[in-house]
Amino acid sequence: MTATTRIVSIDHQDWHAAPALPGPASAIAELEEGKVLYFPHLRFDLSAAEIRLLDPALVDPKRKNISLNATTGKLTGVAVEDQRRDAIGALVRRYYETTRGFLEQLLPEYAGRLHAPTTSLRLHRIGTWKMSWRKDDTRLHVDAFPSRPVGDQRIVRVFNNINPHGDTRRWRVGESFDTLAARYLPQLPPYRPGVAWLLDKLHITKSRRSAYDHFMLQLHDRMKADAGYQRDGEQESIEFPPGSTWICFSDQTPHAAMTGQFMLEQTYLLPVSAMAHPERSPQRVLARQAAAAH
Ligand SMILES: [Fe+2]
């Protein structure tokens, strides 16, 4: 356990109103510091019919989760073609709309700048989906996508535990990004623009991988492969009960999802330039530390 927690608990129940924070800091300040905003009583209600959709058999076996691109309306990862597919689509879309409205209340400073929304319905119990160590999210990591370079964009995520049986979702939350970067940056191999160009040309990545994307992927992998860090690194454990919501910059806040089943998650990208304090972004922290090392 850490002496000072990086979880900010906020007693708030209304998706349509701005919450009052417990201390003097604002939501945007806490988030940009890499804290997790935790709303123990911000429930996302499901109807009885929707609860019956909480079945891992409804996920395409080739995919980990069901997801919605709200911009195009494309729903992927549903294994059935009957009316349950429409019902799942409606549920996921309602979560997107609900969280979008809430973020407008919570983070008015980011108005019009949050973009590329993707919504995910996660039905598998953590630990039952077979994967390589690199994809094993029970290891502390920061989010970095191998095929989707983010460049100068941040990753904001809104999670909700919708488990109808009382199962909590347990996370570990790690140290500040500055400390994390200082720990690993000296070990990371240099960025090679030629490789990024080739991956882009071969359509392995959806756009050109920047130096930032390169270092974040390397950092993600080094953290997960480091058994000593996983065991002894600065961290705290938290249980998110059903009916709770939590929000963080998942590219900045080291996290590991240990146990749980049934979750909704909303992702947005945000340009670094839209932040109140761009200098706290992983992009700027890594650039600063890399420059100081030379
Ligand atoms: Fe993650």
Side-chain angles (χ1 to χ4, degrees):
M1 291 291 286
T2 48
T4 53
T5 180
R6 300 181 59 75
I7 317 286
V8 180
S9 184
I10 303 163
D11 191 10
H12 182 76
Q13 302 183 17
D14 186 356
W15 290 105
H16 305 292
L21 265 71
S26 62
I28 190 171
E30 299 284 35
L31 274 179
E32 291 188 359
E33 288 274 0
K35 307 256 184 83
V36 178
L37 298 187
Y38 167 43
F39 301 88
H41 306 119
L42 189 55
R43 171 177 292 278
F44 185 75
D45 283 315
L46 271 60
S47 69
E50 286 173 334
I51 288 171
R52 285 194 291 277
L53 298 170
L54 301 180
D55 178 354
L58 297 182
V59 187
D60 180 338
K62 295 191 291 296
R63 292 184 180 262
K64 190 174 168 191
N65 302 307
I66 290 168
S67 63
L68 173 73
N69 178 329
T71 310
T72 62
K74 190 173 179 206
L75 183 68
T76 50
V78 183
V80 292
E81 288 295 336
D82 53 28
Q83 79 284 356
R84 287 174 295 178
R85 181 186 168 84
D86 296 336
I88 288 170
L91 166 65
V92 174
R93 178 162 285 279
R94 194 171 85 249
Y95 187 67
Y96 156 67
E97 288 168 353
T98 303
T99 53
R100 185 183 62 182
F102 184 62
L103 290 179
E104 285 168 6
Q105 298 286 330
L106 182 73
L107 302 164
E109 300 89 340
Y110 294 160
R113 305 302 300 277
L114 293 165
H115 69 107
T118 50
T119 320
S120 166
L121 173 62
R122 306 187 185 187
L123 298 179
H124 292 295
R125 179 171 292 283
I126 290 172
T128 58
W129 177 259
K130 289 279 161 273
M131 63 189 73
S132 66
W133 65 267
R134 198 173 260 120
K135 290 187 176 168
D136 178 3
D137 289 341
T138 67
R139 302 177 192 218
L140 280 167
H141 65 282
V142 285
D143 285 349
F145 309 130
S147 64
R148 266 185 301 153
V150 295
D152 228 27
Q153 311 289 317
R154 305 296 317 279
I155 304 170
V156 183
R157 291 190 144 169
V158 183
F159 305 88
N160 190 290
N161 183 353
I162 51 171
N163 190 291
H165 312 300
D167 295 0
T168 60
R169 203 167 184 93
R170 187 165 74 80
W171 265 30
R172 292 185 290 146
V173 174
E175 64 203 347
S176 78
F177 191 85
D178 288 72
T179 315
L180 178 74
R183 180 194 299 276
Y184 286 107
L185 190 60
Q187 307 174 21
L188 303 184
Y191 172 61
R192 289 164 59 202
V195 173
W197 177 85
L198 188 63
L199 291 172
D200 185 28
K201 285 293 157 214
L202 296 174
H203 300 292
I204 294 169
T205 50
K206 289 180 180 143
S207 58
R208 187 83 60 89
R209 207 178 260 175
S210 66
Y212 170 71
D213 290 303
H214 162 80
F215 284 118
M216 286 297 278
L217 279 172
Q218 294 291 334
L219 176 60
H220 169 276
D221 289 359
R222 288 296 164 106
M223 293 169 73
K224 281 189 171 177
D226 186 343
Y229 170 72
Q230 293 293 328
R231 188 183 59 241
D232 304 326
E234 185 184 315
Q235 58 189 281
E236 60 188 308
S237 180
I238 176 159
E239 306 225 358
F240 299 110
S244 68
T245 302
W246 59 107
I247 304 174
C248 69
F249 276 111
S250 62
D251 51 356
Q252 176 177 8
T253 307
H255 60 283
M258 306 310 294
T259 62
Q261 185 176 22
F262 305 132
M263 183 173 75
L264 279 161
E265 176 267 312
Q266 178 64 47
T267 299
Y268 277 100
L269 299 184
L270 176 82
V272 168
S273 62
M275 296 175 64
H277 292 282
E279 72 277 12
R280 293 179 187 160
S281 65
Q283 282 89 344
R284 299 285 199 278
V285 170
L286 284 171
R288 222 165 33 235
Q289 291 191 9
H294 287 96

